[in-house]
Amino acid sequence: MKFIFVTGGVMSGLGKGITCASIGRLLVDMGYKVVPIKIDPYINIDAGTMNPFQHGEVYVLKDGTEVDLDLGHYERFIGVELTGEHNITTGKIYRNVIEKERKGEYLGQTVQIIPHVTDEIKSWIRRVAEKSNADVCLVEIGGTVGDIEGMPFLEAVRQMKNELRHEDFMLIHVTLIPLDRGGEQKTKPTQHSVKELRSLGLQPDAIVGRCAERLKPETKRKISLFCDVPVEAVVSNEDVEDIYEVPLKFREERFDEYIVERLKLEKRPYKRDWEEMVKRLKDLKEEVTIAIVGKYTHVRDSYISIVEALKHGGIYAGCRVKVNWIESEELEGKESVEIEGDGILVPGGFGKRGAEGKIKAIEFARENNVPFLGICFGFQLAVIEFARNVIGWEDANSGEFASEGHLVIDLLPEQKEVDRLGGTMRLGEIEVTIVKDTLAYRLYGREKVYERHRHRYEVNPMYVEDLKRHGLVVSGYSDGGRRVEIIEYPKNDFFIGTQFHPEFKSRPYSPSPIFVGFVKASLENRG
Ligand code: GLN
């Protein structure tokens, strides 16, 4: 088993996750099996309670673990399906250590960061690596070298370096190469961050320089000299139009060759699928505009998987997708709204703020036959909009923010018995049955699908018959029919809502059928 560790320097937000995912792709393209692990040094056990304003989207894995959005990049680039064990946090490590201590497993020793916490980290990494049967285990250490939270993890990496053979261990450091006012590529921040890394006993084997442009030969020579890495191990990570180009750029810089050489792996011819996908993407001539009516629209990262899934849909529908971001609160209090876009998407969300604006957007889509996709919260609000404006129940609402009226969206009776905020979230992959002769069936082309969930509220079973009687179609369900998973409004050309999040399973080479259908319909609507 080979291990590649990826650290970051200078500052966060350099796209270390994408760098890591792209390295994974390079190896996968050569036919190697890769298992990625993301280390998030924060103390939270998982990302479930984190605010998307701060961290971007909460990504949901098949087993229901809520994780950092980088895991989404791994799944999309590397083509693996991950679970909670592929995400290590300080919270998880300490929880294990404290549990062991309470059980007396440390036999009276003083429990310390070194060796007990570092042992826990190492054994976690090794356990996941071994179980996976992969050729290469790729471990990204979140944060920046020097952060206090990251120290135990870097120490664990240092120890592993000594436990592994030279050709089984590689450290890649991602840094920033800023341009000064005269356009010169500056290497000093990189030198400093490598110095910091060295003071922890770690010497990088390769340096990836994030820069607006490709690194010049003299920049590479300078970094090579000051940071003590071979010049061919200094790799540019320049700005690209689309993140899917990063693996190809790395290959142009022969990073793949350096990695296999350093790890004493054989160089194999690479598969062209990814390259062809990028080519298709770049060759797209048509363009559609999708309006995303959301709440976190000024933090684009909070909808990253949706934007990616739209892009995937576009590759297959034959068009680029441009997003028109609409802040839902701004639609509130207006008599009538008009939304610019060939299609309208209302994504997931929580809480009252902005909900009425989203309902207005849905009404606009339904009344004007604009292709509509509602996801999770967007699906729930579509049911509310229908109940209010088609059935005529003005007081229709969700139990999430109303306590009376027609609560067409609510907790199920058994959920109400449990604590309202703790542990009642329905998470992860669940089997959904698709009803024949519906739009959903035409899109999926089969009866059973598996999609990822992250929600608490449900369509209230008490009102399902009323909704159907007035023309809403339930085209997907779960739990033996008790839970509504997909609704559609067949009077329109394309109006669909899903309780689950199809975006989490969409891949550039195997897009979500819901997104392909939605983008196609939007393209047709554009005319
Ligand atoms: N707030 C809604 C619920 O808890 C929807 C959640 C979501 O959109 N992810 O059911």
Side-chain angles (χ1 to χ4, degrees):
M1 174 76 66
K2 312 277 180 187
F3 290 87
I4 299 178
F5 291 92
V6 180
T7 54
V10 185
M11 62 175 217
S12 61
L14 289 180
K16 189 151 41 88
I18 290 167
T19 300
C20 224
S22 300
I23 292 169
R25 186 73 226 177
L26 289 178
L27 291 161
V28 167
D29 275 348
M30 283 188 272
Y32 289 108
K33 190 170 175 209
V34 175
V35 59
I37 298 176
K38 170 83 197 277
I39 294 179
D40 285 308
Y42 45 64
I43 310 210
N44 308 51
I45 297 281
D46 60 39
T49 55
M50 288 179 144
N51 181 345
F53 277 124
Q54 252 184 50
H55 282 272
E57 162 188 290
V58 175
Y59 189 76
V60 181
L61 300 176
K62 153 171 115 176
D63 69 350
T65 314
E66 299 163 280
V67 293
D68 184 83
L69 54 83
D70 279 336
L71 282 275
H73 291 312
Y74 295 175
E75 287 203 332
R76 289 184 284 264
F77 277 72
I78 303 174
V80 280
E81 277 205 296
L82 304 174
T83 59
E85 60 182 17
H86 299 95
N87 186 212
I88 308 180
T89 64
T90 295
K92 286 184 185 173
I93 294 292
Y94 272 78
R95 183 167 68 182
N96 284 2
V97 170
I98 290 167
E99 269 168 18
K100 281 188 187 162
E101 186 274 331
R102 289 290 83 186
K103 280 196 232 143
E105 287 184 28
Y106 294 114
L107 305 172
Q109 291 174 63
T110 309
V111 181
Q112 294 179 299
I113 293 187
I114 306 172
H116 304 102
V117 169
T118 48
D119 278 353
E120 190 63 36
I121 297 168
K122 289 189 292 180
S123 72
W124 189 310
I125 295 172
R126 285 182 185 275
R127 192 173 59 239
V128 173
E130 271 154 32
K131 212 171 96 183
S132 72
N133 261 321
D135 304 297
V136 179
C137 177
L138 185 60
V139 187
E140 176 189 348
I141 317 226
T144 306
V145 171
D147 293 349
I148 211 164
E149 288 92 346
M151 291 299 181
F153 295 101
L154 292 171
E155 168 58 17
V157 175
R158 189 196 63 78
Q159 293 173 20
M160 279 187 83
K161 181 189 69 180
N162 294 332
E163 292 161 13
L164 292 164
R165 290 183 306 180
H166 179 71
E167 67 262 36
D168 293 341
F169 174 94
M170 180 173 185
L171 178 64
I172 299 174
H173 190 56
V174 183
T175 75
L176 175 73
I177 314 283
L179 300 177
D180 73 6
R181 291 228 236 139
E184 198 188 326
Q185 301 178 349
K186 307 303 281 183
T187 65
K188 195 63 93 194
T190 302
Q191 295 177 36
H192 278 296
S193 89
V194 169
K195 203 167 149 195
E196 180 105 44
L197 204 50
R198 281 204 191 130
S199 72
L200 303 172
L202 288 167
Q203 164 64 34
D205 296 292
I207 292 178
V208 175
R210 268 295 287 126
C211 185
E213 56 189 32
R214 195 169 278 214
L215 300 185
K216 297 189 179 122
E218 66 256 35
T219 309
K220 289 191 177 183
R221 270 198 298 276
K222 210 164 167 189
I223 295 175
S224 159
L225 180 65
F226 282 101
C227 302
D228 203 15
V229 293
V231 75
E232 66 274 17
V234 182
V235 177
S236 316
N237 186 353
E238 67 194 289
D239 287 356
V240 283
E241 196 185 321
D242 192 281
I243 53 171
Y244 295 157
E245 292 173 56
V246 176
L248 308 182
K249 293 280 177 193
F250 281 168
R251 204 178 288 133
E252 280 173 26
E253 299 253 306
R254 302 183 158 222
F255 197 18
D256 54 335
E257 289 178 24
Y258 179 75
I259 293 170
V260 289
E261 217 170 87
R262 173 65 185 75
L263 293 175
K264 294 214 164 79
L265 288 168
E266 75 184 279
K267 180 167 185 328
R268 299 179 183 162
Y270 64 89
K271 296 192 213 93
R272 311 230 161 222
D273 316 22
W274 189 268
E275 195 175 312
E276 275 155 23
M277 180 273 293
V278 173
K279 197 170 163 350
R280 275 174 80 180
L281 176 65
K282 299 208 43 147
D283 282 349
L284 295 169
K285 300 270 174 318
E286 307 283 327
E287 183 174 275
V288 292
T289 303
I290 302 295
I292 298 186
V293 185
K295 191 161 79 166
Y296 313 117
T297 46
H298 56 280
V299 190
R300 302 289 152 83
D301 270 359
S302 31
Y303 299 118
I304 195 151
S305 291
I306 289 183
V307 174
E308 292 299 306
L310 285 171
K311 194 204 299 178
H312 307 160
I315 298 175
Y316 286 76
C319 58
R320 276 169 200 278
V321 178
K322 200 178 118 201
V323 174
N324 178 18
W325 297 98
I326 294 175
E327 187 64 45
S328 53
E329 262 189 314
E330 284 165 19
L331 303 176
E332 289 174 6
K334 285 189 187 161
E335 259 305 299
S336 72
V337 300
E338 187 154 343
I339 289 164
E340 257 176 70
D342 306 309
I344 297 176
L345 190 155
V346 178
F350 291 84
K352 194 181 173 78
R353 192 170 70 73
E356 290 300 324
K358 292 178 186 174
I359 292 176
K360 281 217 159 115
I362 297 166
E363 183 180 359
F364 177 84
R366 193 180 48 74
E367 300 221 310
N368 295 287
N369 193 17
V370 179
F372 170 78
L373 171 59
I375 296 175
C376 206
F377 199 43
F379 151 96
Q380 297 175 355
L381 296 175
V383 173
I384 294 172
E385 192 277 329
F386 182 87
R388 285 188 193 171
N389 300 328
V390 178
I391 307 186
W393 296 339
E394 276 171 35
D395 61 355
N397 223 325
S398 165
E400 189 171 349
F401 32 76
S403 52
E404 47 194 59
H406 287 83
L407 299 183
V408 289
I409 303 294
D410 204 0
L411 294 177
L412 297 176
E414 65 267 29
Q415 288 176 291
K416 288 189 183 169
E417 286 161 25
V418 213
D419 158 31
R420 274 183 89 88
L421 278 175
T424 50
M425 194 80 110
R426 189 167 176 246
L427 286 164
E429 197 160 282
I430 292 163
E431 182 184 87
V432 174
T433 306
I434 310 288
V435 180
K436 288 210 170 131
D437 297 319
T438 60
L439 172 60
Y441 194 85
R442 286 197 293 284
L443 296 173
Y444 279 110
R446 56 197 146 97
E447 229 170 311
K448 299 276 181 210
V449 300
Y450 300 83
E451 295 281 10
R452 298 185 192 172
H453 295 67
R454 181 177 188 244
H455 67 109
R456 196 171 283 122
Y457 290 82
E458 302 281 345
V459 174
N460 191 337
M462 239 168 70
Y463 296 118
V464 171
E465 282 315 313
D466 289 309
L467 294 165
K468 283 186 179 170
R469 203 152 20 85
H470 286 86
L472 200 72
V473 167
V474 172
S475 55
Y477 60 83
S478 62
D479 218 357
R482 232 168 87 73
R483 298 185 201 236
V484 176
E485 294 278 356
I486 313 177
I487 53 113
E488 31 194 91
Y489 184 64
K491 279 197 179 155
N492 283 17
D493 294 333
F494 192 102
F495 187 101
I496 197 164
T498 63
Q499 179 61 81
F500 50 83
H501 291 265
E503 71 273 24
F504 291 145
K505 281 189 75 176
S506 188
R507 307 283 175 261
Y509 36 84
S510 81
S512 155
I514 298 271
F515 276 86
V516 177
F518 175 56
V519 176
K520 262 192 193 150
S522 305
L523 185 62
E524 280 159 23
N525 177 44
R526 194 205 59 178

PDB file of all heavy atoms in Angstrom, residues 348-350 376-377 380 400 454-457 501, ligand 1:
ATOM      1  N   GLY A 348     -32.342  22.770  -1.543  1.00  0.00           N
ATOM      2  CA  GLY A 348     -32.609  22.448  -0.147  1.00  0.00           C
ATOM      3  C   GLY A 348     -32.387  23.646   0.751  1.00  0.00           C
ATOM      4  O   GLY A 348     -31.754  24.628   0.364  1.00  0.00           O
ATOM      5  N   GLY A 349     -32.926  23.568   1.938  1.00  0.00           N
ATOM      6  CA  GLY A 349     -32.744  24.669   2.870  1.00  0.00           C
ATOM      7  C   GLY A 349     -33.424  24.377   4.191  1.00  0.00           C
ATOM      8  O   GLY A 349     -34.128  23.369   4.328  1.00  0.00           O
ATOM      9  N   PHE A 350     -33.210  25.246   5.106  1.00  0.00           N
ATOM     10  CA  PHE A 350     -33.792  25.083   6.437  1.00  0.00           C
ATOM     11  C   PHE A 350     -34.351  26.407   6.926  1.00  0.00           C
ATOM     12  O   PHE A 350     -33.754  27.456   6.685  1.00  0.00           O
ATOM     13  CB  PHE A 350     -32.724  24.597   7.425  1.00  0.00           C
ATOM     14  CG  PHE A 350     -32.285  23.184   7.148  1.00  0.00           C
ATOM     15  CD1 PHE A 350     -31.310  22.915   6.196  1.00  0.00           C
ATOM     16  CD2 PHE A 350     -32.873  22.120   7.833  1.00  0.00           C
ATOM     17  CE1 PHE A 350     -30.921  21.619   5.920  1.00  0.00           C
ATOM     18  CE2 PHE A 350     -32.485  20.818   7.570  1.00  0.00           C
ATOM     19  CZ  PHE A 350     -31.509  20.565   6.612  1.00  0.00           C
ATOM     20  N   CYS A 376     -35.595  18.757  -2.079  1.00  0.00           N
ATOM     21  CA  CYS A 376     -35.754  18.688  -0.633  1.00  0.00           C
ATOM     22  C   CYS A 376     -36.661  19.820  -0.125  1.00  0.00           C
ATOM     23  O   CYS A 376     -37.868  19.743  -0.275  1.00  0.00           O
ATOM     24  CB  CYS A 376     -34.391  18.655   0.042  1.00  0.00           C
ATOM     25  SG  CYS A 376     -34.466  17.860   1.645  1.00  0.00           S
ATOM     26  N   PHE A 377     -36.085  20.862   0.430  1.00  0.00           N
ATOM     27  CA  PHE A 377     -36.904  21.994   0.876  1.00  0.00           C
ATOM     28  C   PHE A 377     -37.700  22.549  -0.313  1.00  0.00           C
ATOM     29  O   PHE A 377     -38.870  22.915  -0.177  1.00  0.00           O
ATOM     30  CB  PHE A 377     -35.991  23.075   1.458  1.00  0.00           C
ATOM     31  CG  PHE A 377     -36.688  24.070   2.336  1.00  0.00           C
ATOM     32  CD1 PHE A 377     -37.629  23.692   3.268  1.00  0.00           C
ATOM     33  CD2 PHE A 377     -36.364  25.425   2.244  1.00  0.00           C
ATOM     34  CE1 PHE A 377     -38.257  24.621   4.096  1.00  0.00           C
ATOM     35  CE2 PHE A 377     -36.981  26.362   3.064  1.00  0.00           C
ATOM     36  CZ  PHE A 377     -37.937  25.957   3.988  1.00  0.00           C
ATOM     37  N   GLN A 380     -40.633  20.411  -0.814  1.00  0.00           N
ATOM     38  CA  GLN A 380     -41.641  20.643   0.228  1.00  0.00           C
ATOM     39  C   GLN A 380     -42.413  21.933  -0.041  1.00  0.00           C
ATOM     40  O   GLN A 380     -43.644  21.983   0.093  1.00  0.00           O
ATOM     41  CB  GLN A 380     -40.966  20.715   1.602  1.00  0.00           C
ATOM     42  CG  GLN A 380     -40.284  19.403   1.990  1.00  0.00           C
ATOM     43  CD  GLN A 380     -39.512  19.492   3.301  1.00  0.00           C
ATOM     44  OE1 GLN A 380     -39.391  20.549   3.886  1.00  0.00           O
ATOM     45  NE2 GLN A 380     -38.977  18.366   3.752  1.00  0.00           N
ATOM     46  N   GLU A 400     -42.331  22.944  10.041  1.00  0.00           N
ATOM     47  CA  GLU A 400     -41.015  23.479  10.389  1.00  0.00           C
ATOM     48  C   GLU A 400     -41.133  24.916  10.894  1.00  0.00           C
ATOM     49  O   GLU A 400     -40.321  25.361  11.681  1.00  0.00           O
ATOM     50  CB  GLU A 400     -40.095  23.423   9.155  1.00  0.00           C
ATOM     51  CG  GLU A 400     -38.648  23.747   9.458  1.00  0.00           C
ATOM     52  CD  GLU A 400     -37.699  23.478   8.278  1.00  0.00           C
ATOM     53  OE1 GLU A 400     -38.119  22.845   7.282  1.00  0.00           O
ATOM     54  OE2 GLU A 400     -36.528  23.892   8.366  1.00  0.00           O
ATOM     55  N   ARG A 454     -31.409  14.094   3.228  1.00  0.00           N
ATOM     56  CA  ARG A 454     -31.003  14.869   4.406  1.00  0.00           C
ATOM     57  C   ARG A 454     -32.147  15.794   4.784  1.00  0.00           C
ATOM     58  O   ARG A 454     -32.194  16.944   4.398  1.00  0.00           O
ATOM     59  CB  ARG A 454     -29.743  15.690   4.105  1.00  0.00           C
ATOM     60  CG  ARG A 454     -29.256  16.490   5.314  1.00  0.00           C
ATOM     61  CD  ARG A 454     -27.975  17.232   5.031  1.00  0.00           C
ATOM     62  NE  ARG A 454     -27.456  17.811   6.246  1.00  0.00           N
ATOM     63  CZ  ARG A 454     -27.322  19.127   6.456  1.00  0.00           C
ATOM     64  NH1 ARG A 454     -27.670  19.991   5.536  1.00  0.00           N
ATOM     65  NH2 ARG A 454     -26.834  19.553   7.596  1.00  0.00           N
ATOM     66  N   HIS A 455     -33.091  15.253   5.506  1.00  0.00           N
ATOM     67  CA  HIS A 455     -34.253  16.075   5.872  1.00  0.00           C
ATOM     68  C   HIS A 455     -34.930  15.510   7.103  1.00  0.00           C
ATOM     69  O   HIS A 455     -34.632  14.409   7.561  1.00  0.00           O
ATOM     70  CB  HIS A 455     -35.248  16.123   4.713  1.00  0.00           C
ATOM     71  CG  HIS A 455     -35.901  14.795   4.438  1.00  0.00           C
ATOM     72  ND1 HIS A 455     -37.211  14.560   4.714  1.00  0.00           N
ATOM     73  CD2 HIS A 455     -35.400  13.631   3.971  1.00  0.00           C
ATOM     74  CE1 HIS A 455     -37.500  13.300   4.390  1.00  0.00           C
ATOM     75  NE2 HIS A 455     -36.415  12.715   3.939  1.00  0.00           N
ATOM     76  N   ARG A 456     -35.846  16.267   7.604  1.00  0.00           N
ATOM     77  CA  ARG A 456     -36.557  15.881   8.815  1.00  0.00           C
ATOM     78  C   ARG A 456     -38.063  15.825   8.534  1.00  0.00           C
ATOM     79  O   ARG A 456     -38.744  14.963   8.998  1.00  0.00           O
ATOM     80  CB  ARG A 456     -36.248  16.942   9.883  1.00  0.00           C
ATOM     81  CG  ARG A 456     -36.569  16.546  11.281  1.00  0.00           C
ATOM     82  CD  ARG A 456     -36.004  17.589  12.248  1.00  0.00           C
ATOM     83  NE  ARG A 456     -34.577  17.458  12.422  1.00  0.00           N
ATOM     84  CZ  ARG A 456     -33.677  18.415  12.180  1.00  0.00           C
ATOM     85  NH1 ARG A 456     -34.064  19.594  11.736  1.00  0.00           N
ATOM     86  NH2 ARG A 456     -32.404  18.212  12.383  1.00  0.00           N
ATOM     87  N   TYR A 457     -38.538  16.747   7.724  1.00  0.00           N
ATOM     88  CA  TYR A 457     -39.978  16.856   7.478  1.00  0.00           C
ATOM     89  C   TYR A 457     -40.402  16.008   6.277  1.00  0.00           C
ATOM     90  O   TYR A 457     -39.585  15.686   5.414  1.00  0.00           O
ATOM     91  CB  TYR A 457     -40.369  18.328   7.293  1.00  0.00           C
ATOM     92  CG  TYR A 457     -40.257  19.061   8.616  1.00  0.00           C
ATOM     93  CD1 TYR A 457     -39.033  19.545   9.068  1.00  0.00           C
ATOM     94  CD2 TYR A 457     -41.363  19.193   9.443  1.00  0.00           C
ATOM     95  CE1 TYR A 457     -38.911  20.164  10.294  1.00  0.00           C
ATOM     96  CE2 TYR A 457     -41.259  19.811  10.675  1.00  0.00           C
ATOM     97  CZ  TYR A 457     -40.028  20.294  11.105  1.00  0.00           C
ATOM     98  OH  TYR A 457     -39.928  20.891  12.328  1.00  0.00           O
ATOM     99  N   HIS A 501     -31.857  14.277  -2.501  1.00  0.00           N
ATOM    100  CA  HIS A 501     -30.915  15.176  -3.183  1.00  0.00           C
ATOM    101  C   HIS A 501     -30.237  14.431  -4.342  1.00  0.00           C
ATOM    102  O   HIS A 501     -29.194  13.821  -4.129  1.00  0.00           O
ATOM    103  CB  HIS A 501     -29.833  15.627  -2.207  1.00  0.00           C
ATOM    104  CG  HIS A 501     -30.320  16.541  -1.143  1.00  0.00           C
ATOM    105  ND1 HIS A 501     -30.248  17.906  -1.249  1.00  0.00           N
ATOM    106  CD2 HIS A 501     -30.889  16.288   0.064  1.00  0.00           C
ATOM    107  CE1 HIS A 501     -30.739  18.454  -0.153  1.00  0.00           C
ATOM    108  NE2 HIS A 501     -31.131  17.497   0.663  1.00  0.00           N
TER     109      HIS A 501
HETATM  110  N1  GLN B   1     -35.832  21.803   6.191  1.00  0.00           N
HETATM  111  C1  GLN B   1     -36.384  20.677   5.526  1.00  0.00           C
HETATM  112  C2  GLN B   1     -36.428  19.451   6.404  1.00  0.00           C
HETATM  113  O1  GLN B   1     -35.778  19.391   7.402  1.00  0.00           O
HETATM  114  C3  GLN B   1     -35.628  20.393   4.234  1.00  0.00           C
HETATM  115  C4  GLN B   1     -34.214  20.012   4.458  1.00  0.00           C
HETATM  116  C5  GLN B   1     -33.370  20.143   3.212  1.00  0.00           C
HETATM  117  O2  GLN B   1     -33.724  20.821   2.275  1.00  0.00           O
HETATM  118  N2  GLN B   1     -32.206  19.527   3.198  1.00  0.00           N
HETATM  119  O3  GLN B   1     -37.121  18.501   6.104  1.00  0.00           O
END
